[in-house]
Amino acid sequence: MNLRSRIPALAMLLAFVMPVAALAQTVTLQQGQVVNVQMQDSIDSGTAYAGEHFTSRVVAPYPNDDATFANAVINGTVVKVVQAGQGRNPELHFAWDSITLQNGASYPINAVMTQGGPQAQNRNGGHVALTTIGGMIAGNILGKTIFHTNAGGAVGAASGFLVGYNKKSNVTMKQGTNFQLTLTRPLMVRRQAGRPY
């Protein structure tokens, strides 16, 4: 077999091997996967505002025990705030926008907060409810009220909102609070160089 006849065979082999190699360099988290995170900022319904950005950090145990996600930062946005007051319960509405790995690469993330949460700001221990809403709804809220676009669900990730049952006390998502996010869509990221498989 001469060189000219080998070229098509080599091209076919590369066409097969390269996608397989690319897949080996990616990590996919499936819908329903839980990500453990810790709040890096404090968000309070008495002072927060729609459009305010905040961050949380991925903490162990990492998804699938994969160190690719070690210390990754999840970026979020406050979608809506209701201050405590006469006749109204305090509320904090969040959207989760993207995840940034240690190598600086960022990817859109769609998730809801499913465990953990803030504290009520009162000495009597007011109750706080954790509720989640769908990603398209959160995206529409973000697009229309914050960015003034019609980008819809593509703008923001799925969201969660927190409602305090004590009308006299605001709710706070404190720095250092641990909680969980559950993916509502698969998340695919490139594996960081030097990370074990």
Side-chain angles (χ1 to χ4, degrees), residues 115-144:
Q115 187 172 327
Q119 299 175 352
Q121 280 191 6
N122 68 323
R123 297 179 182 178
N124 298 324
H127 297 289
V128 177
L130 167 62
T131 312
T132 59
I133 57 177
M136 293 302 290
I137 297 173
N140 284 325
I141 293 172
L142 278 173
K144 293 175 182 176

Side-chain angles (χ1 to χ4, degrees), residues 20-99:
V20 172
L23 284 174
Q25 297 301 317
T26 61
V27 180
T28 300
L29 301 183
Q30 299 301 327
Q31 180 177 341
Q33 177 76 55
V34 171
V35 182
N36 297 298
V37 293
Q38 184 178 80
M39 198 72 175
Q40 299 297 291
D41 304 291
S42 289
I43 305 293
D44 175 78
S45 62
T47 57
Y49 57 91
E52 181 176 358
H53 297 288
F54 62 90
T55 60
S56 55
R57 189 172 299 278
V58 178
V59 295
Y62 306 117
N64 301 331
D65 293 323
D66 193 326
T68 295
F69 298 97
N71 293 313
V73 173
I74 297 180
N75 305 289
T77 303
V78 176
V79 178
K80 178 183 175 183
V81 180
V82 177
Q83 293 185 0
Q86 188 172 1
R88 65 177 184 270
N89 294 323
E91 298 179 17
L92 283 173
H93 297 240
F94 301 132
W96 314 99
D97 308 316
S98 63
I99 181 169

Side-chain angles (χ1 to χ4, degrees), residues 73-194:
V73 173
I74 297 180
N75 305 289
T77 303
V78 176
V79 178
K80 178 183 175 183
V81 180
V82 177
Q83 293 185 0
Q86 188 172 1
R88 65 177 184 270
N89 294 323
E91 298 179 17
L92 283 173
H93 297 240
F94 301 132
W96 314 99
D97 308 316
S98 63
I99 181 169
T100 303
L101 304 182
Q102 281 187 309
N103 64 4
S106 291
Y107 305 88
I109 188 171
N110 292 272
V112 292
M113 187 163 51
T114 50
Q115 187 172 327
Q119 299 175 352
Q121 280 191 6
N122 68 323
R123 297 179 182 178
N124 298 324
H127 297 289
V128 177
L130 167 62
T131 312
T132 59
I133 57 177
M136 293 302 290
I137 297 173
N140 284 325
I141 293 172
L142 278 173
K144 293 175 182 176
T145 64
I146 297 174
F147 301 109
H148 306 293
T149 70
N150 290 317
V155 173
S159 179
F161 64 93
L162 308 155
V163 180
Y165 288 143
N166 188 327
K167 294 179 174 61
K168 297 179 181 179
S169 301
N170 285 301
V171 290
T172 304
M173 189 71 160
K174 289 188 175 181
Q175 181 181 17
T177 298
N178 291 316
F179 58 98
Q180 290 183 341
L181 296 177
T182 299
L183 297 180
T184 56
R185 292 183 184 176
L187 170 66
M188 179 181 289
V189 304
R190 285 189 60 82
R191 190 180 298 277
Q192 298 184 62

